[in-house]
Amino acid sequence: MKTASRVSSITRRKLLKASAASAALAAFPAPLIAQTKPFAGVTLHGASFQHRFFTLLQKYIPEFEDKTGMKVDLQLSALPVYNQQANLELSSGGSAYDFVNVTFTLATRWIAAGLLANLDEFTGDANLTPAEWNPKDFVDGAQVPYRDAKGATYGYSWEGGAMLMGLSRMDLMEKKGLKIPKTFAELQQVCAEINGTDGVSGLVSWFLHNWNLPPYIQGFGGNIFRNPPSDPMPALNTPEAIQGVEFYANLLKSAPKGVLTYTEDQARQAMLTGRANIFIHSSAWVTPILLSDESKVKETSRVVRSPAGPVHDYPASNSQGLGIPKNAKNQKAAWEFIKWALSPEISMKLVKEHGHSSICRRSIITSEDYRKLNTVNGQDLGALYLEVLELPGKGENYMAYRTSKEFPIVGDVLNKAFEQVATGQLPAKDAMNAAQDQAIAALRRAGTKL
Amino acid sequence: MELTESGIDLERRRFIAFALTPSLIVLFAVAVLPAIYLIVTSLTPFQLTTPGSATDFSEPLRNYGLLPGDPRFVNSLAVQAKLSVASVFFQVLLGMLLALLLNVPSRFVEFARTFFLIPMVLPPIVVAVIWKLIYAPDISPLYYAAQALHLTLPALTSSVDFALTSIVIADTWEWTPFTFLMVLAALQTIPDEYSEAALVDGASKLQIFWYVTLPFITPILVISGMFRLIDSVKAFPLIFLLTGGGPGTITEVTNYYAYLLAFDTNEIGYSSAVTVVMLLLVCGISLGLVWMGRRKEALA
């Protein structure tokens, strides 16, 4: 009897439990419950080049994994190695990666070759992208390389580089009665006048001439190609291009010995120690002159807009983006990761907790927190950064040369020609005429129809 | 059953074949297969961003046809020749002089010999970094010393006149120990009687060197020169880190040009053709030197 009663009560209890569970299920529909760990069991494979952004992001990835249930396998390699791996993987139609870094210089060719997924399909679906993620928040200039001719988006930018001018010895300039140069002519004059004073060089640069030189060529009204990306005919021997090359070669006469083989680090050290006065490069390299603990010139430094040329004011800018390969196996999971990595929350965390300032979300760059952290010696570095980053998105996309698929070949030829001019091996006209012929021959060899 | 002489021969051949097979398989996998793949790729217009280009054999000899008209390729061969000849010449000469100087029985000299071997055992990239520091005008002790002596040195790695010389100097520093070691070993095999007899006959030290020592060490000088000549095409880390092939194309050797083509401009097919030509040239030089060696042996 006792036993029978126990059996009976257990049955009742079970029934009660089952009823409670049914009620709970009715109150919270099954899909919602499943969404608590919507990607449980998925391993997401992604790749990029080594960059501080990803090193910082990796600290937060466990939170993302907890939230979504997926595992993130992020492979980071050196930039040239990554570019090779990704090129090979994407062009062979592989599906090893679910998300990739869309390298700035490779963006156009990957998009044109149809190697990436159209992200508008994700942002356009309210179930996949909440309104607050706001794709329009990304600075337009940083997004230009990740759009095709019809305006479809294939990547969202995670890092922006905006060319600015850093000056380390305003004290020396003031002593000499020199003002911050705003034009090419003033830049030439200031560099020449400072050079040699107190052992300080007028300016410093570094060996990647195909990044440093084009703003001068464009400043005089020239370009690398006739009309990129639609007309990739090289334009290296136009009078404007020759003028730009001559100007930059002359400018380097005020630089330290051996500047042609300087690395970025060498140039930065020359600035940090006050051995060189001017450095024109991406904000991420120039601003540490002011912000770095190592800096010996914190008090005498300024970061300002690069000088304008007589025809154009085209400071270089670039960005790196995240995208999804066309053949990725886990596209929705990859989008979830991109959405999270580039969310306003994570972006703000990177700014506040790590001082990572090269964010591409306008709402972050213009926020009060960002402004507070990036205002030094009374200068709003964020405003300068944003202004330059935006420029290619307004009017002519003057950075189109850089993302043309023909640029690596022509850029390499340009580097060699510039070095010939800077070292006096050839006059600018001869070097650039030869470079034009070589660039055309090399492009034809690579199958480009000109 | 008794084994005949030809039976023993057959058994021995079988054993040798059996013992060598694993090594041959490994050698084939790690050396021959990549070389075959390189040759196959050189027959295509393979570019990483052009799908299908890796299997396009429609114009198999196009890359090779373009090479003679490519001024950078032709220039790179000339640069390679200059670099190889100069560096091998100095490495053999200095290696021989050092070996002659240090071929004396003394504990200090034994220590000094070990010291001289250090550059050769350093990883090539470390050697390149050391020389990068030596050649960097703003931090180099070389430039500080020159300044103290009121001398003005140009920027060696970006100077038209000195860039290639700076590579030759670094390469010579790295590899002179190799020739030194080879010549020293040869010197220690020369019986003392020859030089003692020459000394008794009134020969000067120079005459002893010329008529006794040099004939003994000549084969070693040739062999070490040959090894270094073949190896000199591998000066890549020095060029990559010190000059980047510049200024212009002054230090752009063939393997650096092939690297730029493959990794900067993505022309894998064309780069493979450049590499195949380089491979053939190295093989040609090696075979030529082996043939010369055999001919000399036959004449002797």
Side-chain angles (χ1 to χ4, degrees):
Chain A
M1 183 74 190
K2 204 175 174 183
T3 315
S5 147
R6 196 164 56 203
V7 168
S8 163
S9 83
I10 287 167
T11 309
R12 263 200 311 275
R13 202 172 295 146
K14 274 185 180 170
L15 269 170
L16 282 168
K17 275 186 181 173
S19 309
S22 306
L25 276 171
F28 302 100
L32 199 66
I33 287 174
Q35 272 174 27
T36 54
K37 295 274 182 183
F39 298 100
V42 172
T43 300
L44 195 66
H45 298 282
S48 178
F49 65 91
Q50 282 157 352
H51 190 282
R52 185 164 174 259
F53 171 79
F54 289 105
T55 321
L56 299 175
L57 196 67
Q58 271 171 330
K59 292 178 186 168
Y60 304 117
I61 285 179
E63 289 171 19
F64 172 74
E65 290 176 331
D66 266 358
K67 207 168 85 177
T68 58
M70 70 173 96
K71 284 271 159 218
V72 180
D73 166 30
L74 176 60
Q75 296 168 26
L76 300 177
S77 329
L79 179 65
V81 176
Y82 166 74
N83 287 343
Q84 288 297 309
Q85 284 172 339
N87 251 336
L88 195 58
E89 177 61 22
L90 295 183
S91 63
S92 60
S95 57
Y97 302 134
D98 296 309
F99 67 89
V100 288
N101 174 62
V102 186
T103 306
F104 178 68
T105 50
L106 303 172
T108 305
R109 74 173 82 168
W110 285 359
I111 293 167
L115 307 178
L116 298 169
N118 182 348
L119 300 183
D120 291 344
E121 289 166 17
F122 298 95
T123 51
D125 184 341
N127 290 323
L128 296 175
T129 313
E132 61 268 23
W133 197 78
N134 190 11
K136 289 190 177 163
D137 189 27
F138 289 82
V139 177
D140 210 38
Q143 281 299 113
V144 168
Y146 307 109
R147 291 198 196 113
D148 68 6
K150 290 176 187 162
T153 305
Y154 294 83
Y156 280 96
S157 44
W158 54 267
E159 203 261 350
M163 195 176 246
L164 295 173
M165 176 166 68
L167 301 111
S168 73
R169 297 295 305 272
M170 273 310 291
D171 57 328
L172 210 57
M173 285 180 57
E174 280 161 7
K175 243 187 230 174
K176 288 195 160 241
L178 296 167
K179 287 185 179 160
I180 291 171
K182 289 188 174 162
T183 64
F184 282 7
E186 287 169 12
L187 175 67
Q188 183 85 70
Q189 187 209 342
V190 168
C191 288
E193 289 202 27
I194 289 291
N195 195 40
T197 314
D198 285 357
V200 176
S201 299
L203 97 161
V204 69
S205 193
W206 59 294
F207 71 86
L208 196 64
H209 316 303
N210 60 26
W211 165 256
N212 298 306
L213 169 62
Y216 298 103
I217 291 177
Q218 292 183 325
F220 284 106
N223 205 346
I224 308 301
F225 300 102
R226 202 153 55 190
N227 186 22
S230 56
D231 180 358
M233 173 59 89
L236 301 180
N237 61 345
T238 60
E240 297 83 9
I242 293 167
Q243 206 177 353
V245 166
E246 270 173 343
F247 178 82
Y248 186 53
N250 269 327
L251 209 56
L252 290 190
K253 285 179 183 164
S254 303
K257 265 183 196 169
V259 72
L260 287 180
T261 52
Y262 259 38
T263 58
E264 282 177 319
D265 280 317
Q266 277 178 285
R268 186 168 166 260
Q269 282 303 318
M271 289 295 284
L272 286 173
T273 51
R275 286 183 284 116
N277 184 39
I278 290 178
F279 186 29
I280 298 174
H281 192 13
S282 294
S283 50
W285 287 90
V286 171
T287 48
I289 301 159
L290 285 174
L291 302 173
S292 165
D293 290 337
E294 309 158 66
S295 178
K296 291 183 170 37
V297 289
K298 273 185 183 175
E299 306 302 320
T300 58
S301 288
R302 295 287 180 278
V303 176
V304 294
R305 277 274 265 116
S306 305
V311 179
H312 289 304
D313 174 17
Y314 283 169
S317 75
N318 71 345
S319 61
Q320 301 291 340
L322 280 176
I324 301 174
K326 186 107 180 174
N327 296 326
K329 285 182 205 149
N330 301 302
Q331 295 206 356
K332 283 189 179 169
W335 176 242
E336 206 60 30
F337 177 82
I338 292 175
K339 233 168 44 178
W340 167 80
L342 305 181
S343 63
E345 296 75 28
I346 292 290
S347 301
M348 189 46 103
K349 265 189 179 181
L350 295 178
V351 173
K352 276 188 181 173
E353 293 175 16
H354 305 282
H356 179 71
S357 58
S358 47
I359 300 291
C360 296
R361 274 190 176 272
R362 184 187 301 277
S363 61
I364 305 290
I365 306 169
T366 53
S367 69
E368 199 48 45
D369 287 325
Y370 186 97
R371 196 188 309 275
K372 267 185 200 161
L373 285 166
N374 291 288
T375 300
V376 186
N377 290 352
Q379 296 172 100
D380 184 350
L381 301 181
L384 275 172
Y385 163 68
L386 182 61
E387 186 188 340
V388 175
L389 202 60
E390 272 182 327
L391 279 176
K394 293 177 177 170
E396 186 192 356
N397 174 18
Y398 60 84
M399 288 307 293
Y401 75 88
R402 184 91 183 155
T403 53
S404 294
K405 67 183 175 61
E406 293 79 14
F407 182 72
I409 289 176
V410 178
D412 178 53
V413 173
L414 180 65
N415 270 352
K416 297 289 168 192
F418 173 71
E419 286 183 356
Q420 287 173 328
V421 178
T423 53
Q425 292 175 66
L426 284 174
K429 194 175 175 186
D430 295 355
M432 296 307 276
N433 277 333
Q436 175 76 0
D437 293 344
Q438 280 173 32
I440 291 172
L443 287 179
R444 286 195 173 130
R445 185 178 70 215
T448 305
K449 289 190 172 57
L450 296 170
Chain B
M1 192 182 148
E2 208 172 295
L3 276 174
T4 60
E5 203 171 307
S6 62
I8 292 169
D9 256 7
L10 190 67
E11 280 297 306
R12 186 181 294 147
R13 274 192 216 135
R14 275 184 189 155
F15 175 74
I16 291 170
F18 178 74
L20 280 180
T21 304
S23 319
L24 288 174
I25 291 170
V26 172
L27 192 69
F28 184 79
V30 300
V32 181
L33 275 183
I36 291 171
Y37 182 66
L38 182 79
I39 293 165
V40 170
T41 307
S42 75
L43 305 175
T44 70
F46 185 17
Q47 286 213 314
L48 285 178
T49 46
T50 312
S53 58
T55 49
D56 176 3
F57 294 97
S58 55
E59 279 185 273
L61 297 178
R62 182 176 179 264
N63 290 329
Y64 292 97
L66 291 168
L67 283 174
D70 179 354
R72 274 176 77 173
F73 171 69
V74 176
N75 172 70
S76 76
L77 289 175
V79 174
Q80 182 67 68
K82 275 189 233 172
L83 176 67
S84 294
V85 169
S87 58
V88 171
F89 172 77
F90 286 115
Q91 283 160 30
V92 171
L93 183 70
L94 290 174
M96 184 185 73
L97 291 175
L98 269 177
L100 288 168
L101 273 173
L102 299 177
N103 184 30
V104 283
S106 140
R107 286 207 164 180
F108 171 74
V109 171
E110 271 172 29
F111 168 75
R113 279 181 208 159
T114 319
F115 181 76
F116 277 109
L117 297 182
I118 290 173
M120 189 179 75
V121 295
L122 289 174
I125 197 71
V126 175
V127 173
V129 171
I130 290 172
W131 283 94
K132 173 99 185 164
L133 294 174
I134 293 174
Y135 289 142
D138 41 0
I139 50 169
S140 163
L142 180 72
Y143 283 84
Y144 287 133
Q147 207 176 6
L149 296 169
H150 302 287
L151 294 172
T152 308
L153 285 181
L156 295 170
T157 51
S158 53
S159 148
V160 178
D161 301 319
F162 295 103
L164 193 60
T165 310
S166 67
I167 303 283
V168 170
I169 291 171
D171 195 57
T172 303
W173 181 82
E174 185 180 3
W175 290 110
T176 295
F178 172 78
T179 49
F180 158 68
L181 203 62
M182 299 276 278
V183 177
L184 188 67
L187 284 174
Q188 290 179 346
T189 62
I190 303 174
D192 291 338
E193 290 85 356
Y194 292 98
S195 44
E196 282 165 8
L199 207 59
V200 169
D201 286 345
S204 67
K205 282 195 173 175
L206 194 65
Q207 283 172 320
I208 293 173
F209 168 74
W210 192 256
Y211 294 107
V212 179
T213 313
L214 196 59
F216 262 104
I217 62 171
T218 300
I220 285 298
L221 291 177
V222 172
I223 287 169
S224 29
M226 182 184 92
F227 273 117
R228 284 305 312 139
L229 190 67
I230 294 165
D231 236 24
S232 65
V233 295
K234 294 195 279 186
F236 185 87
L238 285 174
I239 290 163
F240 180 79
L241 214 64
L242 295 182
T243 63
T249 52
I250 278 176
T251 60
E252 192 173 86
V253 291
T254 316
N255 65 4
Y256 192 77
Y257 182 49
Y259 160 80
L260 288 179
L261 287 167
F263 293 93
D264 266 21
T265 64
N266 292 310
E267 296 175 87
I268 305 286
Y270 189 64
S271 171
S272 302
V274 169
T275 314
V276 167
V277 171
M278 205 167 71
L279 185 73
L280 291 175
L281 283 173
V282 171
C283 288
I285 294 168
S286 310
L287 290 173
L289 287 165
V290 169
W291 177 78
M292 272 168 62
R294 282 190 181 157
R295 195 162 169 261
K296 203 172 174 186
E297 268 176 29
L299 286 173

